[in-house]
Amino acid sequence: NAGVTQTPKFRVLKTGQSMTLLCAQDMNHEYMYWYRQDPGMGLRLIHYSVGEGTTAKGEVPDGYNVSRLKKQNFLLGLESAAPSQTSVYFCASSSSGTGYGANVLTFGAGSRLTVL
Amino acid sequence: AQTVTQSQPEMSVQEAETVTLSCTYDTSENNYYLFWYKQPPSRQMILVIRQEAYKQQNATENRFSVNFQKAAKSFSLKISDSQLGDTAMYFCALDDYKLSFGAGTTVTVRA
């Protein structure tokens, strides 16, 4: 009954360092998303995927890369971390895409990233 | 301009009382979906309630109900008989072929 699992839950980086956030879902969902949550700004979409091997840019993609080599995993990478990327990152998955009432997102518990 | 606006950053309510959270949105679509998600202190976001725009009837889930006014593009959430476990941040979201979230409203239920 895991749903969506994110690792790590917390991470502190120095400016310029790189890291990867891992998202894994066990619900056989086609769609996966990475959001960032910042105070007063709600959730903003970074990148998303509509199926294995596909990725697409969201609202705030700059400075991030993603990969979906396996259907159950969606990786978010920061190649050269900047203080502006300090945020809480959420992964989510859904069985259908936007425009359908079934597009209910299942979220992970979030990953708090601090870039010094 | 924001697509989804939640004008109340914080709200406080006494246990067992009722609180209403406001949400307004902007879309040119005629058919779309609206959601309220809850994010408790544990950070795990969960769906509270969902409304389809072409349905006139307001959605209800136990103590949670919405007041959907399509012409006014308003989608408020009412929490009745508030419980301490309702303490959370609540996000309004619009799916008009693109999913957009509001900035959130923090609700604190006082014992």
Side-chain angles (χ1 to χ4, degrees), chain B:
Chain B
Q2 281 190 316
T3 302
V4 179
T5 302
Q6 294 179 248
S7 59
Q8 305 148 314
E10 296 181 1
M11 298 193 75
S12 181
V13 60
Q14 193 72 32
E15 196 174 10
E17 293 189 345
T18 296
V19 63
T20 299
L21 284 59
S22 67
C23 173
T24 58
Y25 58 91
D26 185 31
T27 181
S28 58
E29 298 289 339
N30 189 49
N31 194 26
Y32 48 88
Y33 299 87
L34 293 157
F35 305 85
W36 278 99
Y37 281 90
K38 170 185 177 181
Q39 184 181 42
S42 66
R43 289 202 315 231
Q44 187 88 41
M45 290 187 65
I46 56 173
L47 178 70
V48 175
I49 201 164
R50 169 177 51 183
Q51 174 80 41
E52 298 169 79
Y54 67 86
K55 288 190 175 180
Q56 299 275 13
Q57 188 173 6
N58 289 324
T60 299
E61 288 287 341
N62 300 314
R63 298 181 294 106
F64 297 87
S65 61
V66 298
N67 182 5
F68 172 50
Q69 299 190 4
K70 192 172 184 178
K73 295 183 180 175
S74 171
F75 183 60
S76 61
L77 174 70
K78 184 170 78 171
I79 307 174
S80 303
D81 185 24
S82 296
Q83 300 176 0
L84 296 177
D86 295 333
T87 292
M89 181 171 281
Y90 289 81
F91 290 94
C92 179
L94 164 70
D95 182 356
D96 59 349
Y97 299 93
K98 175 188 171 186
L99 188 59
S100 302
F101 287 85
T105 296
T106 299
V107 173
T108 302
V109 180
R110 307 186 308 274

Side-chain angles (χ1 to χ4, degrees), chain A residues 53-94:
Chain A
T54 74
T55 63
K57 294 181 180 179
E59 183 184 355
V60 288
D62 294 343
Y64 305 95
N65 57 75
V66 288
S67 65
R68 185 133 181 239
L69 299 179
K70 293 183 178 181
K71 185 177 183 178
Q72 63 268 34
N73 296 336
F74 195 32
L75 279 63
L76 177 70
L78 285 71
E79 291 185 345
S80 180
S84 61
Q85 294 178 303
T86 293
S87 187
V88 180
Y89 292 85
F90 285 93
C91 177
S93 69
S94 65

